[in-house]
Structures are given as C-alpha cells and as structure tokens.
C-alpha cells in the first residue's frame, strides 16, 4: 500500500477544500492516486469538494494587442514576483510591447520571442535590464497569436489578472465585447463539447455513476438500470453545459445561453483564449513560524 504523506493530504485539501481526515481517507482508498482521491471526495461530498476556479499562485499581467482591422491579434502572460511590480508602468509597457511583437512577428515560442528586437535590442536583453531596474525576476510564460475568421474582441479584468481574446463572426461590435466579458466571468473550459477532453468526461461519468449508486443504496430502493443510466447521462450533460461556452447561460441574461445569443444575432464564435495570471503555478508558501523557530535555534547555537 502506498504511503500517504502529510504533503499528499495537504495538496488534496488545497485542491478540494475537503476536511483533512476526509482527504486522508480518500487517498488511502485511492492507493495514493491524487486524481482518483479527488473523484472519491466528489462522490462523498458533492460540489463541496470542487473549487470554482484554479488556484492563482503567481503575479503578473495579461496583455493583448489587436490590429486596427480586428483580424489579427495576440494575448500574452508575463509574470513577476509581486503584485506591486505587476502595477509598475515599465513592466506593463514591456508586456504590451511583447503582445504587439507576437502579433506582428509571429514567433514560434517563447525562445523565438525572446530573440526578437525592441528598438534594436533583443527582448531577452530588455527583460534582463528590466529585472535589474525593478529588482525582481520577470518571465514570459505563454502567448497565442490569432488570425481571426471574424473580428477579435478582447477584455482585461481585475488589474490585468484575467485576459480574454475571442474571435466572433457576425453580429454587432458590442456582441464580441459582451462575450469576452462573459468568458472572463464564467471561465469556460472549451467552446463546445467536442473541445472537452475525453478523460474529463469519463471522470465526470464515473463520479455520476458512483454518486447515483450511493444515493440508491441510501434510499434502500432498487432503481432500474435504464433509469440509472439516464441520471448519469443527465449529470454528464449538465457538466458539459457548465464548462462549455456555448452551453453556459449568458451572464447578462441567464434565461439565454451563449449559443442562443449568437443564433439570435446571426453570429458565431470560432475560438477564444482565456488567460488567468498564475493559473496552475504553485507559489512558494513561507512558513513564518518555522522560519522564526529556525532563527531562534541558530541564535542558541551561537
């Protein structure tokens, strides 16, 4: 049997907000498999075991650039160490310049972008100079360059912590802005069901199946297999509506889905890009008490 460490329990608790002992029990039942343990908690605890958004653990900004005709654009995330620097004018200008370079120069990756020039100086040299001036490490994390089928709309929210770029064909110009704002608020994972990873759907189906079986056992009633299958499929379809842009209720009118909004406007969305600063990056957490005790120990040794 796999050893269940305190670190594993802490990681599962941070992902789910479930009680510590429930996390340990789930990890033991799952043989140390973190993903399986998360599924077990969702079966036992329902939505309480899932956070609405990924943990944001790094600082920085999202910047966008769109050409005058709205047909070409870029979105980029640039990271720094503190929120204070994320508001620095030089840092913000650097991020904005990088977004423009991505759109205009079409670099293949971060390394290629770093080799491009800003006013005759390589981006990497500009970055190093800015590090020296600001006194913090800065990094270019990711970017996307988009050649639109329709026109690009962008939305930056929360001090540039969330950035959206969406390609909308048809409709009024305000429609693109509304959809970009909706994406920032509702954070869909994909445009439609075809963009949701098969493993995510299967995970949801397993959770729904186990949950339905557990509910049936608690009720003491025998539920026909076909009814169970319908319940499971209903749960999966509900999940797909929650995580896909077209299936989500429009934030400005929850009686209408985004798909219905687009249809009423004779419009369509070709793609969207959503960046949340620091999403998926673990920030080092300082243990102040441990640091103080370590310093006390060192003082005693002197």
């Amino acid at each position: 049997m796999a050893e269940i460490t305190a670190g594993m329990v802490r990681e599962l608790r941070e992902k789910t907000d479930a009680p510590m002992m429930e996390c340990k029990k789930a990890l033991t039942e799952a043989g140390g498999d973190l993903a399986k343990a998360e599924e077990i908690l969702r079966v036992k605890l329902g939505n309480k075991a899932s956070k609405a958004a990924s943990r944001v653990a790094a600082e920085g900004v999202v910047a966008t650039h769109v050409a005058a005709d709205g047909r070409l654009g870029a979105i980029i995330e640039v990271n720094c160490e503190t929120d204070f620097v994320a508001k620095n004018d030089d840092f913000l200008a650097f991020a904005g310049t990088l977004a423009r370079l991505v759109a205009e120069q079409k670099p293949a990756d971060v390394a290629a972008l770093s080799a491009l020039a800003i006013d005759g100086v390589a981006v990497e040299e500009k970055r190093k100079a800015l590090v020296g001036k600001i006194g913090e490490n800065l990094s270019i994390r990711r970017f996307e360059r988009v050649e639109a089928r329709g026109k690009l709309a962008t939305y930056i929210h929360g001090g540039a912590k969330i950035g959206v770029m969406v390609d909308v064909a048809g409709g009024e110009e305000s429609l693109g802005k509304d959809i970009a704002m909706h994406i920032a608020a509702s954070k869909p994972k994909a445009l439609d069901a075809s963009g949701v990873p098969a493993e995510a759907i299967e995970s949801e189906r397993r959770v729904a199946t186990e949950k339905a079986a557990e509910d049936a056992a608690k009720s003491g009633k025998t539920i026909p297999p076909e009814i169970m299958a319908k319940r499971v499929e209903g749960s999966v379809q509900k999940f797909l509506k929650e995580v896909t842009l077209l299936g989500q209720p429009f934030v400005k009118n929850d009686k209408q889905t985004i798909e219905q909004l687009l249809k009423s406007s004779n419009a369509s969305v070709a793609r969207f890009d959503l960046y949340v600063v620091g999403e998926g990056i673990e920030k080092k957490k300082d243990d102040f008490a441990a640091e103080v005790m370590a310093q006390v120990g060192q003082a005693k040794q002197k």
Side-chain angles (χ1 to χ4, degrees):
M1 181 179 291
E3 179 187 0
I4 308 303
T5 66
M8 293 165 66
V9 174
R10 183 173 61 252
E11 183 176 357
L12 183 59
R13 176 171 167 73
E14 288 176 351
K15 288 187 70 178
T16 65
D17 273 345
M20 195 73 75
M21 289 307 298
E22 292 295 335
C23 290
K24 187 173 182 179
K25 289 178 184 177
L27 281 164
T28 301
E29 185 178 338
D33 185 320
L34 190 65
K36 180 61 178 175
E38 188 173 353
E39 287 187 9
I40 291 170
L41 285 175
R42 290 187 58 207
V43 171
K44 291 183 177 179
L45 305 178
N47 289 336
K48 291 180 181 178
S50 290
K51 289 189 174 180
S54 299
R55 296 179 66 86
V56 177
E59 302 301 337
V61 295
V62 178
T64 60
H65 174 83
V66 176
D69 62 2
R71 303 300 297 274
L72 175 66
I75 182 169
I76 190 168
E77 178 184 349
V78 185
N79 296 124
C80 57
E81 295 181 43
T82 65
D83 185 56
F84 178 77
V85 167
K87 299 172 183 176
N88 178 278
D89 288 341
D90 290 335
F91 177 72
L92 292 170
F94 180 62
T97 299
L98 293 180
R100 177 179 58 79
L101 278 178
V102 169
E104 295 176 353
Q105 300 295 325
K106 199 177 179 179
D109 51 28
V110 171
L113 173 58
S114 298
L116 295 178
I118 300 174
D119 299 327
V121 180
V123 166
E124 176 59 13
E125 293 306 312
K126 285 279 189 179
R127 185 194 69 82
K128 289 179 180 177
L130 198 53
V131 168
K133 181 178 180 180
I134 293 176
E136 280 193 15
N137 188 31
L138 313 175
S139 63
I140 304 166
R141 185 184 181 198
R142 54 181 173 165
F143 62 78
E144 288 289 339
R145 180 180 183 274
V146 180
E147 295 182 17
R149 295 182 187 178
K151 282 197 172 184
L152 295 171
T154 63
Y155 179 66
I156 299 294
H157 180 75
K161 300 301 182 187
I162 301 173
V164 176
M165 178 174 287
V166 58
D167 180 358
V168 181
E172 299 292 331
E173 186 174 337
S174 60
L175 177 65
K177 180 65 71 174
D178 279 346
I179 292 177
M181 291 175 66
H182 169 93
I183 293 169
S186 300
K187 298 181 178 61
K189 302 296 184 184
L191 178 61
D192 54 30
S194 67
V196 180
E199 57 267 27
I201 297 175
E202 284 311 305
S203 173
E204 196 64 29
R205 183 169 280 111
R206 285 195 301 271
V207 169
T209 300
E210 293 178 33
K211 185 66 175 173
E214 188 172 285
D215 290 344
K218 287 180 180 178
S219 70
K221 298 178 181 179
T222 301
I223 301 176
E226 61 271 20
I227 300 299
M228 290 282 282
K230 285 183 179 180
R231 288 185 181 181
V232 170
E233 190 56 31
S235 294
V236 172
Q237 291 305 313
K238 181 183 177 183
F239 162 74
L240 290 174
K241 288 179 180 179
E242 290 172 349
V243 301
T244 58
L245 175 61
L246 297 185
Q248 290 179 337
F250 181 34
V251 291
K252 286 189 173 183
N253 176 12
D254 61 8
K255 301 294 189 292
Q256 183 181 44
T257 66
I258 292 295
E259 185 172 26
Q260 292 167 339
L261 172 65
L262 289 166
K263 188 174 181 180
S264 68
S265 302
N266 195 28
S268 63
V269 171
R271 65 173 287 171
F272 72 87
D273 293 281
L274 166 66
Y275 280 4
V276 178
V277 169
E279 189 174 36
I281 299 176
E282 280 299 323
K283 182 191 288 184
K284 180 182 177 183
K285 297 178 181 178
D286 296 324
D287 187 335
F288 181 72
E291 183 179 333
V292 169
M293 291 305 295
Q295 291 178 356
V296 169
Q298 291 173 2
K300 287 181 178 179
Q301 292 175 5
K302 292 181 180 179

